[in-house]
């Protein structure tokens, strides 16, 4: 058997680049022979060529953003440029593509979720030009020049947005699928309240700077459905951030210290 | 979704020109209704002309009226001080519809043009005269709990889904439209939407290529005594079973003027003119409201599953009027 691998290796010469790649992969001696035997030297060459070409492109700064999708024939292709989470993005899309699919499938931002895809559940909520909107009913081509913020754009580095913190603190979710939409919606709600915007349950002509009541928060969040029914905790989270009203959390992530239980002299 | 060409229009002229030139072209504004219907394969435009960037987004005072732009968002319209001060009824009606996200996207023009939520209209495997003339009406003999009790025909029993339009009907708004060659016309709100008759494919009197540019609302004395009541299957984010826009102008112990419009009951926002006529000059008392509501509902014709809407509408009128009179 070993002889057979030996033959293969000997029969087809590897280039210097390919040799280097095998070294980087940590394949030496017997394991290198075994690997080449399984893929065949010719197969390895194809793999190596692709990898080497991509590395060269990367080194030259020509990063293909969407290699696979760009190669598909688009029936009515439209180029659209907009800002996503503060970064300029430019994509060529079929005119039918929604903002949601563009974010998820083309820009690798899979935080925004596809729930009903018909504007009825709110899981796809993002913030466009400061307003919460449904990305599933927004055609990407209509976003030219707009500023889009998704759940991925709320935290500052490692520091969560206060609304994200509050959702964690109050356990404002179960399965988590609706959560990115809930949080984007809640963040936009804070600004709407600051601007004095009304709702069906507020006095339309009344005091514009008043803090929102529980019923008002519920009404304003009615476009975000939660099938797990985490509504009471979602309300608590929003209340804390909007009204600065802290409620004792009934639940929290265990801290390392809490996990350690003293049993005699031992720590388990 | 079927393929379509996309083009953004900068001016009314560009938009009207583009749509009137090619048969299968449609305007798109907020997209909240059209994109949904395209995903369902109910709407199949060959081209979309984006009108959302046309500069018709203002809300302004003009003489004795307030003019709201067709491209203004529902949210901005409902929150505008001129609307909140002069027509709280309109603000309330807009806020009663859809969700915050959808109201942020939806335009005033698009709201007027939104299509029925009849489930047979949405389901392309079902007969529907509105979607395909002559194919039959799935709802007439099918499930019609959500459907009309006024003004329906054997061809179609659907209702108009808008809340905003119910308030605009009560407020006697006027729709300004512009067609090819810059021709404009003013359509009184009650003549804008139509009853199904023998052609339910047409929801309103807008002609192909015509664009809604603005909506004018004459100032009135109803601001202090108006109320939009929406009755639905859940407390929020659901279409109306029945809704009532009620507005009163009181003169001491008498009703000087009154407007009542109903949603969720007909193919168009339904002006309750019989109830209005009865109430003028009467005292704003519950007994009178009850008599007026009864009079209006005497003409209602229920379908198999929506007989509940008749007493519901009657009580909703009374409650909305009582709320408005306080
Ligand atoms: C889940 C959900 C719930 C909803 N609930 C409610 C509710 O409770 N109450 C309610 O009232 N509404 C409700 N809506 C409907 C919503 O209000 C409408 O979809 C919205 O108003 C349509 O406006 P748009 O700008 O998005 O229109 P688009 O979807 O862009 O267009 C709709 C139609 O209008 C035409 N059009 C657009 N602008 C113009 C113009 N200026 N002139 C001529 N034609 C034009 C388009 O060609 C298209 O045919 C709901 C929608 C959804 C998705
Ligand atoms: S009620 Fe109208 S919209 Fe509904 S199925 Fe009948 S024809 Fe179609």
């Amino acid at each position: 058997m070993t002889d057979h691998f030996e033959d293969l290796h000997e029969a087809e010469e590897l280039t210097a680049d390919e040799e280097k790649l095998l070294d980087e992969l940590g394949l030496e001696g017997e394991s290198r022979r075994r690997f080449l035997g399984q893929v065949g030297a010719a197969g390895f060459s194809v793999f190596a060529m692709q990898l080497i070409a991509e590395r060269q492109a990367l080194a030259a700064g020509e990063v293909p953003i969407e290699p696979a999708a760009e190669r598909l024939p688009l029936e009515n292709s439209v180029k659209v440029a907009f800002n996503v989470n503060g970064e300029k993005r430019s994509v060529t899309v079929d005119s039918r593509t929604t903002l949601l699919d563009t974010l998820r499938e083309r820009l690798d931002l899979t935080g925004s979720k596809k729930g009903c895809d018909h504007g009825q559940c709110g899981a796809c909520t993002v913030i466009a030009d400061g307003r919460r909107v449904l990305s599933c009913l927004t055609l990407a081509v209509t976003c030219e020049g707009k500023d889009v913020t998704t759940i991925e754009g709320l935290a500052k580095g490692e520091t969560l947005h206060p609304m994200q913190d509050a959702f964690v603190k109050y356990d404002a979710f179960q399965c988590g699928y609706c959560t990115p939409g809930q949080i984007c919606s809640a963040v936009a709600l804070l600004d709407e309240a600051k601007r004095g915007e009304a709702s069906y349950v507020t006095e339309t002509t009344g005091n514009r700077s008043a803090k929102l009541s529980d019923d008002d928060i519920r009404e304003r969040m009615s476009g975000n459905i939660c099938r797990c029914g985490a509504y009471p905790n979602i309300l608590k989270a929003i209340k804390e951030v909007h009204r600065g009203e802290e409620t004792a959390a009934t639940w929290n992530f265990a801290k390392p210290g809490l996990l350690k239980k003293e049993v005699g002299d031992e720590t388990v | 979704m079927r393929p379509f060409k996309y083009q953004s229009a900068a001016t009314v002229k560009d938009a009207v020109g583009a749509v009137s030139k090619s048969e299968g072209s449609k305007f798109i504004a907020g997209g909240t209704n059209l994109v949904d219907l395209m995903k369902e394969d109910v709407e199949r435009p060959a081209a979309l002309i984006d009108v959302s960037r046309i500069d018709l987004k203002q809300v302004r005072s003009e003489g004795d009226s307030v003019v709201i732009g067709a491209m203004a968002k529902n949210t901005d319209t409902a929150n505008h001080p001129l609307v909140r001060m002069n027509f709280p009824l309109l603000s309330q009606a807009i806020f009663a519809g859809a969700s915050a996200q959808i109201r942020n996207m939806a335009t005033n023009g698009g709201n007027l043009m939104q299509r029925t939520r009849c489930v047979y209209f949405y389901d392309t495997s079902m007969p529907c005269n509105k979607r395909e003339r002559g194919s039959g009406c799935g709802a007439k003999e099918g499930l019609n709990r959500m459907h009309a009790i006024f003004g329906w025909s054997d061809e179609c029993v659907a209702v108009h889904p808008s809340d905003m339009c119910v308030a605009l009907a009560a407020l006697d708004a006027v729709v300004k439209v512009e067609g090819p060659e810059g021709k404009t016309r003013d359509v009184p709100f009650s003549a804008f939407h139509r009853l199904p008759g023998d052609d339910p494919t047409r929801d309103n009197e807008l002609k192909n290529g015509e664009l809604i540019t603005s909506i004018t609302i004459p100032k009135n004395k109803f601001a202090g005594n108006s109320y939009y009541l929406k009755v639905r299957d859940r407390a929020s984010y659901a279409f109306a079973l029945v809704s009532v826009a009620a507005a009163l102008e009181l003169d001491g112990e008498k009703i000087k003027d009154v407007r009542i419009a109903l949603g969720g009951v007909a193919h168009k926002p339904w002006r309750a003119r019989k109830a209005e006529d009865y109430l003028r000059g009467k005292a704003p008392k519950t007994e009178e409201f009850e008599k007026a509501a009864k009079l209006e509902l005497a003409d209602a014709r229920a379908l198999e599953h929506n007989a509940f809407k008749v007493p519901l509408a009657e009580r909703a009128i009374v409650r909305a009027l009582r709320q408005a009179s306080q």
Side-chain angles (χ1 to χ4, degrees):
Chain A
M1 283 292 267
T2 318
D3 288 346
H4 176 63
F5 294 138
E6 216 61 73
D7 291 348
L8 252 176
H9 194 190
E10 299 305 316
E12 302 187 42
E13 281 296 310
L14 295 177
T15 66
D17 275 342
E18 288 169 353
E19 291 281 0
K20 198 167 148 233
L21 200 65
L22 284 172
D23 286 344
E24 280 177 27
L25 290 171
L27 296 171
E28 284 164 8
E30 179 62 15
S31 59
R32 170 181 296 206
R33 280 190 290 278
R34 203 175 280 278
F35 172 74
L36 285 173
Q38 278 160 1
V39 300
F44 173 67
S45 286
V46 173
F47 162 76
M49 253 163 55
Q50 264 182 11
L51 210 65
I52 291 163
E54 271 176 36
R55 283 190 183 181
Q56 282 168 346
L58 264 171
E62 324 154 356
V63 191
I65 303 179
E66 53 243 322
E70 216 62 299
R71 269 183 245 125
L72 293 173
L74 302 178
E75 189 137 2
N76 292 297
S77 67
V78 194
K79 196 168 175 197
V80 54
F82 54 106
N83 297 321
V84 185
N85 300 328
E87 240 180 87
K88 271 206 176 123
R89 307 303 291 261
S90 169
V91 276
T92 302
V93 294
D94 183 298
S95 57
R96 289 171 289 186
T97 320
T98 60
L99 174 60
L100 177 63
D101 285 338
T102 306
L103 292 169
R104 292 182 54 85
E105 311 295 336
R106 303 291 297 281
L107 302 177
D108 263 352
L109 293 166
T110 53
S112 309
K113 295 290 183 273
K114 187 179 281 193
C116 68
D117 211 23
H118 287 280
Q120 301 182 0
C121 77
C124 68
T125 302
V126 299
I127 302 170
D129 287 347
R131 301 269 180 172
R132 46 178 159 162
V133 298
L134 300 175
S135 60
C136 82
L137 291 183
T138 304
L139 293 173
V141 292
T142 63
C143 293
E144 180 68 36
K146 294 197 176 161
D147 284 313
V148 177
T149 305
T150 67
I151 188 75
E152 290 92 342
L154 292 179
K156 299 243 181 315
E158 292 293 300
T159 314
L160 293 183
H161 186 283
M163 192 61 78
Q164 291 175 306
D165 259 339
F167 265 64
V168 174
K169 175 174 170 189
Y170 290 107
D171 191 22
F173 43 77
Q174 261 185 56
C175 79
Y177 197 77
C178 72
T179 313
Q182 298 276 3
I183 293 179
C184 284
S185 200
V187 167
L189 176 153
L190 298 176
D191 290 333
E192 290 162 14
K194 269 192 210 134
R195 287 194 294 263
E197 293 181 10
S199 86
Y200 185 56
V201 305
T202 31
E203 286 286 326
T204 44
T205 46
N207 181 359
R208 296 177 64 135
S209 62
K211 289 284 180 198
L212 305 179
S213 68
D214 288 8
D215 271 353
D216 207 344
I217 294 175
R218 286 193 192 99
E219 162 63 26
R220 287 167 196 253
M221 287 299 290
S222 72
N224 291 83
I225 311 284
C226 169
R227 279 290 171 252
C228 304
Y231 300 114
N233 294 356
I234 293 172
L235 177 66
K236 278 187 200 162
I238 298 173
K239 256 163 67 167
E240 175 168 316
V241 186
H242 168 63
R243 300 216 293 248
E245 209 170 89
E246 247 181 278
T247 320
T250 48
W251 176 94
N252 215 331
F253 278 125
K255 304 231 163 55
L258 288 173
L259 283 176
K260 287 185 196 155
K261 235 197 211 152
E262 302 287 328
V263 182
D265 291 339
E266 276 176 85
T267 302
V268 266
Chain B
M1 204 187 287
R2 295 176 193 230
F4 59 85
K5 295 225 177 323
Y6 170 86
Q7 188 187 326
S8 181
T11 63
V12 175
K13 196 166 159 250
D14 287 354
V16 170
V19 165
S20 47
K21 250 181 260 142
S22 69
E23 183 69 0
S25 298
K26 266 186 128 24
F27 301 123
I28 181 166
T32 58
N33 191 222
L34 188 52
V35 173
D36 186 27
L37 288 168
M38 285 165 68
K39 287 184 180 186
E40 297 283 7
D41 206 27
V42 173
E43 298 274 13
R44 304 163 180 182
L48 287 185
I49 312 302
D50 189 347
V51 294
S52 66
R53 289 175 195 254
I54 299 178
D55 189 20
L56 288 169
K57 298 176 189 160
Q58 299 81 3
V59 175
R60 62 193 154 83
S61 215
E62 199 180 275
D64 274 345
S65 301
V66 171
V67 180
I68 61 177
M71 308 319 162
K73 300 290 185 190
N74 281 179
T75 298
D76 296 329
T77 308
N79 280 304
H80 198 283
L82 278 174
V83 176
R84 279 167 82 157
M85 252 162 37
N86 292 294
F87 320 110
L89 181 67
L90 178 59
S91 293
Q92 257 185 335
I94 294 174
F95 288 133
S99 67
Q101 289 95 315
I102 294 169
R103 294 190 298 268
N104 281 342
M105 303 168 72
T107 62
N108 297 328
N111 195 306
L112 266 57
M113 297 298 290
Q114 64 174 299
R115 311 216 61 191
T116 185
R117 309 301 286 205
C118 170
V119 291
Y120 299 92
F121 173 70
Y122 264 77
D123 185 345
T124 53
S125 66
M126 289 286 173
C128 169
N129 287 326
K130 187 179 277 300
R131 190 170 15 83
E132 200 181 325
R133 203 172 173 184
S135 65
C137 169
K140 179 98 199 310
E141 308 298 328
L143 297 171
N144 46 41
R145 177 174 175 273
M146 299 300 289
H147 292 69
I149 54 171
F150 286 116
W152 50 265
S153 70
D154 284 342
E155 301 295 307
C156 178
V157 295
V159 298
H160 194 265
S162 169
D163 290 295
M164 179 185 191
C165 291
V166 181
L168 289 174
L171 295 168
D172 271 344
V174 176
V175 186
K176 198 166 216 82
V177 308
E178 183 166 336
E181 277 127 45
K183 266 195 211 115
T184 63
R185 60 188 182 111
D186 289 344
V187 188
F189 208 84
S190 54
F192 185 80
H193 295 101
R194 49 191 301 285
L195 291 177
D198 62 3
D199 186 7
T201 58
R202 290 174 55 222
D203 298 342
N204 53 58
E205 298 295 345
L206 207 69
K207 296 187 195 113
N208 185 43
E210 278 183 331
L211 182 78
I212 301 170
T213 52
S214 66
I215 300 151
T216 303
I217 314 168
K219 286 188 185 155
N220 56 48
K221 298 206 167 68
F222 297 122
N225 290 102
S226 70
Y227 190 69
Y228 187 75
L229 173 68
K230 184 172 180 185
V231 185
R232 39 192 157 172
D233 282 328
R234 56 181 184 214
S236 182
Y237 202 19
F239 285 95
L241 292 167
V242 169
S243 70
V244 183
L248 291 162
E249 185 187 337
L250 301 175
D251 182 9
E253 276 304 287
K254 287 219 158 38
I255 297 170
K256 191 166 173 218
D257 199 4
V258 55
R259 304 276 176 76
I260 306 166
L262 306 178
V265 298
H267 198 260
K268 60 187 281 185
W270 190 259
R271 264 296 279 275
R273 295 198 193 266
K274 285 201 177 122
E276 289 179 9
D277 289 345
Y278 174 82
L279 284 173
R280 260 179 226 107
K282 302 277 187 333
K285 296 247 167 64
T286 303
E287 307 85 78
E288 300 291 8
F289 296 156
E290 281 169 353
K291 276 186 198 151
K294 203 170 213 68
L295 210 63
E296 188 66 41
L297 269 299
D299 293 341
R301 283 185 304 151
L303 301 160
E304 193 182 346
H305 307 114
N306 70 358
F308 74 96
K309 280 194 181 183
V310 179
L312 183 64
E314 209 175 300
R315 286 181 213 140
I317 291 175
V318 175
R319 201 171 118 197
L321 284 167
R322 285 181 54 174
Q323 195 83 29
S325 66
Q326 280 159 18

